[in-house]
């Protein structure tokens, strides 16, 4: 490897860092505006035209804010854990292609690498909770671990089915294999599993059990403030964008769009970004719509619904590929399984015994005032 | 894939790790210079919603987390076996396909057994 190559790589990674920071800034503004509109508010609109400079103001505020170090914390682990959360989420982006050949290194095991590295940030969350020496933080950290490891399995299984279909773990080849049909038509079940698991990995509503403000007051992040807190925040948004980008690449055909040339970089990047931002908007939409699941519901959904479905998905895809079933039938089977799961869940929700509440209405006759 | 290609690819990965570390170092450095530092005893107390915190903070945790961690280990290691298989099974001999199906079936019935035993119930 020559020095020139090395310099090229370094400058590309620096460029990626800059682009990701800009994307995070845009996502924070987009989220606040979008949630605002859902709740019939205007969202931030004071700093700059239409509030466009709000994220910049936020960033400056966070850096210039005091970094509190509580007395009881385990100092080294406390300072290091934001890095443990951030660095793996950043390293994932080395191999996520934005258009054909617009990627830093197209690893042959790209998908496997992404899966392997995205799990690492769990360690950061646990150690952040542990080092904070705060009961809420510890509970939050362990909740994060329980949730993230449970939802990792549906993600792995849905990604596995995609790897089978494409016959490769290389993200560029996976996109190329979707030239005629995006995999969401062949794998609606897999897409559901991936998005569900992805939302849980992000810790976003409806799966925001570990930073739940009303239960564990911010979970592992209770004691953090200033720059160290903002690193967790940065990692969360980079992860949100990564999950959206992966959904686009694996299920929505990446930079390919009917009628547009797939080989032109400009149009490829444009198509990719449009699709990714649409998926991001869907994720924000969930946040504006759904209430939070309870932790027992979350674990049952993960282990009793999504993991068995993931196994069924893998087996169905494997059998379909081995017996050379037409692709449309694979898509239909997958869709039927998904629809019947929804149907069974909704029937069970309607027929489940309702918990009994005793409601005491105000009864004026008991007050003695009406007796007169 | 040659050794050289492997080195080139994973050098980029290492550089990305270093760059992430560097960016964070710059940010923490800027914060160290810019941010005010006024320590006080009350501010440095652990935040437990206003109630004075009790001294024993590293409290014991419920065993249920441990059970899910073991389950995760099993299923995550299974992924390591499944990924290479997923790439080659279509063109390999039939035995490869059926053997992995048996492996998946064992795992699946293990999960069902755990479900029946109530391991998956969050208590």
């Amino acid at each position: 490897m020559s020095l020139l190559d090395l310099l090229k790589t370094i400058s590309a990674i620096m460029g990626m860092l800059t682009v990701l920071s800009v994307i995070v800034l845009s996502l924070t503004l987009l989220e606040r505006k979008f949630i605002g509109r859902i709740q019939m508010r205007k969202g931030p609109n004071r700093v700059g035209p239409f509030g466009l400079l709000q994220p910049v103001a936020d960033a400056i505020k966070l850096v210039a804010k005091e970094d509190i170090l509580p007395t009881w914390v385990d100092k080294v682990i406390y300072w290091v854990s934001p890095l443990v959360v951030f660095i793996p989420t950043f390293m994932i982006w080395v191999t996520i292609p934005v258009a054909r050949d617009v990627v830093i290194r197209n690893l042959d095991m790209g998908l496997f690498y992404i899966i392997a590295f995205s799990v690492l940030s769990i360690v950061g969350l646990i150690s952040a909770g542990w080092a904070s020496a705060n009961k809420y933080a510890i509970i939050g950290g362990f909740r994060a671990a329980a949730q993230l490891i449970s939802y990792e399995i549906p993600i792995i299984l849905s990604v596995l089915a995609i790897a089978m279909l494409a016959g490769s773990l290389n993200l560029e080849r996976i996109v190329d294999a979707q030239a005629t049909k995006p995999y969401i038509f062949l794998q609606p079940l897999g897409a559901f599993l991936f998005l569900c698991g992805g939302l849980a990995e992000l810790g976003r509503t409806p799966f925001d059990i570990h930073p739940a403000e009303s239960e564990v007051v911010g979970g592992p992040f209770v004691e953090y403030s200033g720059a160290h807190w903002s690193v967790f925040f940065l990692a969360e948004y980079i992860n949100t964008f990564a999950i959206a980008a992966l959904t686009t690449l694996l299920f929505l055909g990446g930079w390919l769009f009917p009628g547009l040339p797939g080989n032109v970089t400009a149009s490829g990047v444009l198509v990719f970004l449009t699709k990714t931002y649409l998926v991001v908007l869907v994720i924000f939409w969930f946040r504006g719509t759904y209430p939070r699941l309870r932790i027992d519901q979350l674990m049952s959904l993960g282990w009793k619904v999504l993991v068995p479905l993931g196994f069924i998905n893998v087996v169905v895809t494997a059998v379909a590929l081995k017996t050379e079933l037409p692709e449309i039938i694979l898509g239909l089977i997958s869709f039927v399984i998904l629809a019947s799961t929804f149907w069974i869940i909704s029937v069970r929700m309607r027929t489940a015994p309702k918990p009994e509440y005793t409601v005491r209405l105000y009864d004026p006759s008991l007050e003695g005032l009406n007796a007169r | 894939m040659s050794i050289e290609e492997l080195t080139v690819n994973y050098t980029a990965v290492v550089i990305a790790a270093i760059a992430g570390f560097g960016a964070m170092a710059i940010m923490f450095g800027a914060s160290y210079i810019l941010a005010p530092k006024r320590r006080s005893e009350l501010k440095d107390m652990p935040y437990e919603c206003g109630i004075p915190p009790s001294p024993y903070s590293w409290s014991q945790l419920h065993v249920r987390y441990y059970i899910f961690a073991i389950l995760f280990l099993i299923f995550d290691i299974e992924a390591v076996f499944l990924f290479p298989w997923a790439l080659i099974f279509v063109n390999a001999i039939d035995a490869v396909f059926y053997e992995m199906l048996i492996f998946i079936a064992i795992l699946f019935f293990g999960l069902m057994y755990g479900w029946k035993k109530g391991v998956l119930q969050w208590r």
Side-chain angles (χ1 to χ4, degrees):
Chain A
M1 190 178 190
S2 66
L3 193 66
L4 190 67
D5 280 349
L6 198 67
L7 285 178
K8 264 187 198 165
T9 313
I10 292 175
S11 55
I13 287 173
M14 288 303 170
M16 182 177 73
L17 193 63
T18 321
V19 171
L20 277 181
S21 326
V22 174
I23 283 175
V24 168
L25 293 184
S26 78
L27 285 185
T28 55
L29 182 68
L30 185 68
E31 172 162 32
R32 293 175 67 182
K33 278 279 184 194
F34 192 65
I35 299 285
R37 291 293 169 177
I38 286 177
Q39 295 167 350
M40 291 183 171
R41 295 181 285 115
K42 282 195 169 171
N45 61 354
R46 292 300 159 117
V47 191
F50 311 108
L52 279 177
L53 294 178
Q54 184 69 44
V56 182
D58 284 344
I60 294 172
K61 184 212 92 175
L62 279 172
V63 171
K65 201 178 165 190
E66 182 176 3
D67 238 343
I68 299 173
L69 178 75
T71 334
W72 295 349
V73 298
D74 193 332
K75 214 170 165 184
V76 177
I77 305 179
Y78 183 79
W79 284 146
V80 163
S81 21
L83 290 175
V84 181
V85 175
F86 175 78
I87 291 177
T89 60
F90 177 66
M91 283 168 79
I92 286 174
W93 281 89
V94 168
T95 189
I96 293 182
V98 178
R100 194 181 308 281
D101 296 329
V102 185
V103 56
I104 290 177
R105 282 285 176 262
N106 194 15
L107 302 180
D108 259 353
M109 304 211 309
L111 207 48
F112 193 73
Y113 167 82
I114 289 171
I115 296 286
F117 270 78
S118 60
V119 190
L120 279 184
S121 48
I122 299 175
V123 179
L125 288 178
I126 293 191
S127 62
W130 181 257
S132 294
N134 179 319
K135 293 184 192 68
Y136 293 115
I138 293 178
I139 296 173
F142 274 81
R143 277 182 169 195
Q147 171 187 339
L148 265 54
I149 62 179
S150 304
Y151 281 77
E152 192 64 34
I153 297 160
I155 288 195
I156 290 173
L157 293 173
S158 66
V159 160
L160 192 73
I162 293 293
M164 283 179 196
L165 279 174
S168 171
L169 291 172
N170 186 325
L171 282 166
E172 228 165 78
R173 264 186 240 154
I174 289 174
V175 172
D176 284 341
Q178 302 177 52
T180 51
K181 70 284 161 187
Y183 282 155
I184 191 164
F185 294 127
L186 305 189
Q187 297 269 308
L189 180 61
F192 169 74
L193 289 175
F194 187 83
L195 201 59
C196 236
L199 279 176
E201 289 290 294
L202 301 172
R204 295 194 73 90
T205 333
F207 304 111
D208 55 343
I209 280 291
H210 63 273
E213 284 88 357
S214 51
E215 296 167 28
V216 287
V217 285
F221 321 131
V222 200
E223 296 294 350
Y224 284 90
S225 62
H228 282 81
W229 182 80
S230 69
V231 172
F232 286 116
F233 189 70
L234 198 66
E236 189 193 322
Y237 278 92
I238 291 181
N239 252 336
T240 309
F241 201 69
I243 290 289
L246 282 176
T247 315
T248 307
L249 290 171
L250 298 179
F251 294 102
L252 303 178
W255 51 84
L256 303 173
F257 194 79
L260 287 176
N263 289 322
V264 184
T265 304
S267 77
V269 172
L270 206 65
V271 170
F272 175 82
L273 282 183
T274 315
K275 285 179 181 175
T276 309
Y277 270 99
L278 283 178
V279 179
V280 166
L281 279 184
V282 171
I283 292 174
F284 291 163
W285 184 16
F286 285 154
R287 183 176 162 196
T289 318
Y290 288 120
R292 183 188 304 136
L293 288 172
R294 244 178 9 214
I295 187 157
D296 60 323
Q297 295 168 335
L298 179 98
M299 299 305 270
S300 336
L301 178 69
W303 285 98
K304 296 179 183 172
V305 180
L306 296 186
V307 172
L309 277 183
F311 274 113
I312 293 170
N313 188 29
V314 165
V315 172
V316 165
T317 314
V319 171
L321 280 177
K322 195 69 186 173
T323 55
E324 287 169 0
L325 226 59
E327 282 171 338
I328 184 160
I329 295 183
L330 173 61
L332 269 180
I333 294 174
S334 185
F335 182 75
V336 167
I337 294 171
L338 182 61
S340 50
T341 312
F342 283 155
W343 185 70
I344 290 170
I345 290 178
S346 77
V347 165
R348 288 196 57 168
M349 274 170 69
R350 267 184 275 129
T351 54
K354 292 230 161 40
E356 283 182 24
Y357 300 108
T358 43
V359 183
R360 282 204 189 151
L361 292 174
Y362 176 64
D363 187 357
S365 66
L366 296 176
E367 289 287 323
L369 286 171
N370 287 1
R372 264 180 282 158
Chain B
M1 187 157 76
S2 65
I3 288 290
E4 195 173 339
E5 203 181 337
L6 205 70
T7 338
V8 170
N9 280 344
Y10 286 90
T11 317
V13 172
V14 174
I15 292 175
I18 296 169
F21 187 81
M24 290 305 101
I26 291 171
M27 193 162 145
F28 293 157
S31 155
Y32 186 78
I33 295 167
L34 290 175
K37 282 173 280 292
R38 289 187 203 92
R39 305 194 63 170
S40 80
E41 202 182 321
L42 273 179
K43 195 158 62 180
D44 290 352
M45 251 171 30
Y47 175 72
E48 293 190 355
C49 295
I51 307 162
S54 57
Y56 190 61
S57 282
W58 279 295
S59 44
Q60 292 183 335
L61 277 151
H62 204 287
V63 71
R64 59 196 173 192
Y65 294 103
Y66 183 69
I67 294 169
F68 281 99
I70 292 178
L71 275 176
F72 169 70
L73 269 188
I74 297 166
F75 286 98
D76 214 32
I77 290 171
E78 157 245 330
V80 178
F81 293 124
L82 280 174
F83 268 100
W85 169 78
L87 299 183
I88 55 120
F89 78 97
V90 176
N91 298 320
I93 53 172
D94 284 354
V96 176
F97 176 67
Y98 292 116
E99 198 164 347
M100 201 45 108
L101 278 196
I102 293 170
F103 177 64
I104 293 177
I106 292 171
L107 273 173
F108 188 72
F109 286 111
L111 184 71
M112 290 298 130
Y113 179 71
W115 190 343
K116 190 89 184 156
K117 279 278 179 185
V119 176
L120 302 184
Q121 195 61 43
W122 186 262
R123 282 176 290 214

